[in-house]
Amino acid sequence: MKIYKTRDYDGMSSKAAMIISAQVILKGNSVLGLATGSSPIGVYRRLIEGYAGGDLDFSGVTTVNLDEYRGLTPENEQSYRYFMNTQLFGHINIKPENTHVPNGIVQDAELECTRYEDLIRKLGGIDLQLLGLGNNGHIGFNEPGAAFIPDTHCVDLTESTINANKRFFETADQVPRQAFTMGIKTILQARRIVMIVSGEGKAGIVKEAFFGPITPNVPASILQLHNDVHLVGDEAALSLL
Ligand code: GLP
């Protein structure tokens, strides 16, 4: 694992955006795995600047997002599809048909999971997966539990995640109770992983994830087994390492 310590959120965003930019420049038809949450917003801003400045071309890039709330339409402002359209896709020259997010409003959850997993396989797998880190150690929406779940699946969100994410909704009741997420194997099969972490609130869980035991109770701890992980964090988030 490579660790990059930056002064602040902006530094984290710019460093992670550089790694992603290098990927896109070196391989114009990269498959990027993308994330939502507050951590990647600055990264996406930098990528948009790179495109606007003429340094980045996304016309050959395909994206697959980690996760999506179950029950939210793409037009819902809290859906991850809406987030991606407004924070990134709408501002760069990626082809809309090359952007993929699990469909939150399908009837048949199992079918959607199989479709998404097959899609990633047909794309040839993920070249670079961007990850945030949940307060409880989750990646995507792989919540702490008794076992690592390998493939894309539908999960019941934990109280801790509902609490952490309620800031984006008017009330906690509006936070969906379920979500689709890539599984642990789906994520681990990405050829390169870039995790971004910011703020002292993440310091404890960052230490547990990367220097504690590998356990499904801290889903991100499995990343210790991946051979190309780049952990990009600000001083506050990395302060306990
Ligand atoms: C959500 C997302 C995760 C994300 C996490 C951390 O639960 N499903 O993919 O990494 O939140 O979010 P933040 O970056 O806002 O701390």
Side-chain angles (χ1 to χ4, degrees):
M1 174 179 58
K2 289 202 177 106
I3 302 178
Y4 308 77
K5 194 190 268 194
T6 67
R7 201 177 318 148
D8 51 19
Y9 178 87
D10 275 348
M12 173 202 78
S13 304
S14 118
K15 188 79 46 143
M18 280 185 211
I19 299 172
I20 298 171
S21 300
Q23 172 71 43
V24 170
I25 291 167
L26 291 173
K27 187 178 176 199
N29 62 349
S30 289
V31 177
L32 300 180
L34 298 180
T36 52
S38 40
S39 306
I41 292 175
V43 178
Y44 295 153
R45 204 175 304 133
R46 301 284 173 143
L47 293 178
I48 293 167
E49 286 165 10
Y51 164 68
D55 293 326
L56 292 177
D57 174 12
F58 291 90
S59 60
V61 168
T62 300
T63 64
V64 282
N65 259 77
L66 277 170
D67 47 12
E68 176 62 287
Y69 287 115
R70 184 160 190 210
L72 298 192
T73 63
E75 296 76 32
N76 187 308
E77 292 183 15
Q78 313 307 337
S79 75
Y80 286 169
R81 164 52 83 178
Y82 186 91
F83 175 101
M84 291 309 303
N85 287 348
T86 50
Q87 298 293 337
L88 182 65
F89 301 150
H91 309 281
I92 57 175
N93 67 334
I94 194 161
K95 297 188 180 97
E97 64 272 25
N98 287 350
T99 68
H100 304 281
V101 180
N103 182 350
I105 48 165
V106 286
Q107 289 295 322
D108 189 334
E110 220 168 290
L111 204 64
E112 175 58 8
C113 295
T114 315
R115 180 194 73 83
Y116 206 67
E117 199 64 35
D118 283 352
L119 168 80
I120 295 170
R121 196 167 314 120
K122 280 190 199 126
L123 290 170
I126 298 166
D127 289 302
L128 183 155
Q129 176 67 54
L130 179 66
L131 291 179
L133 179 63
N135 293 326
N136 60 5
H138 74 222
I139 45 178
F141 270 130
N142 287 275
E143 296 282 37
F148 293 111
I149 303 180
D151 294 322
T152 300
H153 58 285
C154 182
V155 317
D156 293 332
L157 300 179
T158 62
E159 271 316 300
S160 142
T161 297
I162 291 166
N163 264 325
N165 290 2
K166 71 178 182 209
R167 66 190 195 274
F168 299 111
F169 295 80
E170 271 167 35
T171 65
D173 287 349
Q174 291 178 357
V175 185
R177 268 34 190 179
Q178 286 192 316
F180 292 105
T181 181
M182 284 184 197
I184 290 294
K185 179 168 62 109
T186 330
I187 295 171
L188 278 186
Q189 282 177 339
R191 290 180 269 282
R192 169 166 291 171
I193 289 178
V194 178
M195 174 172 277
I196 46 174
V197 284
S198 164
E200 63 180 336
K202 294 276 168 79
I205 194 67
V206 169
K207 186 176 180 202
E208 260 189 80
F210 290 97
F211 295 94
I214 299 174
T215 161
N217 285 322
V218 182
S221 64
I222 195 91
L223 298 176
Q224 293 179 36
L225 299 178
H226 194 281
N227 64 7
D228 195 4
V229 174
H230 301 255
L231 173 63
V232 187
D234 60 19
E235 279 170 10
L238 303 186
S239 59
L240 297 179
L241 303 193

